[in-house]
Amino acid sequence: MAGEYNYEDILLVKVAWYYYMEGLTQQNIGDYLGIPRLRVNRLLDKARKTGIIHFSVRNGDNNRMHIEKELIQRFHLKDAFIVPPSINGGDCNESVAQAAAMYINERLDKYSYINIGYGDTPSRVLNHLANISEFPVNVVSLTGGVSYYLPNTQSNIFNAKLYLMPTPLLMSEPGMVSAIEKEPCVEQIKNMVSLAKMSVIGIGGMDKEATILANGMLSYNDFLLLSMKGAVGDMLCHFIDRNGHLVSSDIEGRLISTSLDTLKSLDNTIGVAAGKNKAEAILAALRGGYLDILITDEIAAASVLESSE
């Protein structure tokens, strides 16, 4: 569809780069990207036939590959996937969500479970993934807040089986959190989190467009206080400072959410976020060591690298 992010094209470039520029074998590339060797072979053949390879990689793609490699090395990531700038001022969040859904779809099988976090971009990822998957995707929620895990109005197909915490995200007082977390239905979901193959989390910024502010979950005064305490963004509604450390606030005691310590212990945690306004929050998440894989846009990625020097 016109204007949609071309995941296949970028995957072709990644495979071609590793094969021709890095000198990896097709098996090495398949193992690294989590795709079969035969698919690597077909992608290389397509790259040659479509003109992506002319004994060099196209300049724009070459720059993205260098950014990806620098992010991986600097922050000890397993992988990074950079989406090119949106054409005609398109929605970069949508492009990153589409890219993430396709990235995940390549690596899931029908027996796999995937954790999904709270937020606008993870919600978009889930809806795209549930539309393109050939089998029902098993999805475990990392937080309360059921509405963010449900099909949106644009989803014609929603091929997913949802395991949700049947609770709000933010309670009125800490005592209610303790009681709810002891409920068997909530305990069951929390126990499933550690068994998932991968986890997808959004990274929220501290601007007026932040999801948690826009949906009225927190007031502007709450947001201002968190900013004054040094918060630069949030993951799963846990606010972090520029070094990725948790910012203390009374909000923490009222959350139904997977803890940052648990998040850090999970394998294959994918951070999805887009826009230069998210760069500071993305950098904080990387410094905190919460992410294994980063999927973002080129402008945000370049800003992250520049700020981390």
Side-chain angles (χ1 to χ4, degrees):
M1 185 180 296
E4 286 193 355
Y5 170 71
N6 193 337
Y7 173 86
E8 181 83 355
D9 188 56
I10 300 302
L11 186 59
L12 287 172
V13 173
K14 287 176 77 79
V15 168
W17 175 275
Y18 289 131
Y19 188 74
Y20 289 103
M21 306 299 287
E22 300 284 339
L24 299 182
T25 67
Q26 293 182 21
Q27 187 63 54
N28 290 153
I29 296 168
D31 291 342
Y32 185 68
L33 296 178
I35 59 179
R37 189 196 65 79
L38 181 59
R39 176 151 169 72
V40 173
N41 181 272
R42 289 172 178 167
L43 288 168
L44 286 170
D45 183 60
K46 185 174 181 180
R48 289 188 291 267
K49 290 178 178 178
T50 56
I52 287 178
I53 299 303
H54 295 284
F55 300 102
S56 64
V57 181
R58 295 174 300 184
N59 287 336
D61 297 318
N62 187 31
N63 183 56
R64 284 194 295 276
M65 291 300 300
H66 278 299
I67 291 174
E68 288 176 358
K69 186 173 182 180
E70 183 64 26
L71 284 168
I72 291 168
Q73 292 178 344
R74 191 174 297 186
F75 298 106
H76 310 291
L77 298 173
K78 292 181 180 179
D79 198 7
F81 213 100
I82 307 303
V83 176
S86 296
I87 300 172
N88 299 324
D91 186 347
C92 60
N93 286 317
E94 183 66 9
S95 295
V96 166
Q98 289 178 5
M102 295 176 189
Y103 183 96
I104 294 162
N105 191 52
E106 291 274 348
R107 291 157 177 80
L108 282 182
D109 59 52
K110 61 183 179 180
Y111 302 109
S112 300
Y113 285 74
I114 178 171
N115 296 323
I116 297 281
Y118 157 91
D120 176 66
T121 305
S123 178
R124 296 192 199 200
V125 173
L126 172 56
N127 276 273
H128 286 301
L129 182 60
N131 269 270
I132 64 176
S133 178
E134 295 180 357
F135 46 80
V137 182
N138 298 300
V139 175
V140 181
S141 66
L142 287 168
T143 72
V146 173
S147 63
Y148 280 90
Y149 301 96
L150 300 179
N152 62 33
T153 56
Q154 298 176 341
S155 294
N156 299 318
I157 302 170
F158 194 78
N159 198 13
K161 186 173 183 180
L162 304 177
Y163 298 88
L164 307 181
M165 295 186 195
T167 72
L169 173 62
L170 193 64
M171 305 302 295
S172 59
E173 52 113 288
M176 296 180 68
V177 174
S178 300
I180 286 176
E181 287 185 336
K182 293 176 183 177
E183 289 294 322
C185 57
V186 176
E187 285 189 331
Q188 181 183 25
I189 301 302
K190 292 175 77 71
N191 290 336
M192 293 175 70
V193 166
S194 63
L195 304 176
K197 183 175 182 179
M198 61 184 71
S199 303
V200 179
I201 62 163
I203 303 168
M206 297 298 292
D207 57 271
K208 62 182 180 181
E209 296 178 358
T211 301
I212 200 165
L213 185 60
N215 66 14
M217 191 74 65
L218 296 181
S219 69
Y220 176 77
N221 286 340
D222 291 328
F223 223 56
L224 180 60
L225 181 59
L226 285 162
S227 296
M228 292 174 68
K229 288 185 174 184
V232 298
D234 81 283
M235 295 177 297
L236 305 180
C237 205
H238 300 291
F239 287 84
I240 55 174
D241 64 19
R242 64 186 302 272
N243 294 311
H245 300 144
L246 182 66
V247 172
S248 177
S249 75
D250 66 347
I251 293 169
E252 273 298 306
R254 298 189 287 121
L255 277 178
I256 303 290
S257 179
T258 301
S259 71
L260 290 181
D261 286 340
T262 299
L263 180 64
K264 190 178 288 190
S265 72
L266 299 176
D267 292 328
N268 303 316
T269 298
I270 303 172
V272 291
K276 189 174 182 179
N277 61 322
K278 293 286 187 73
E280 190 175 18
I282 294 170
L283 178 56
L286 291 168
R287 283 173 171 163
Y290 300 106
L291 308 181
D292 299 303
I293 299 152
L294 175 64
I295 301 179
T296 188
D297 65 292
E298 189 171 351
I299 294 174
S303 184
V304 166
L305 290 176
E306 182 181 353
S307 299
S308 65
E309 291 178 347

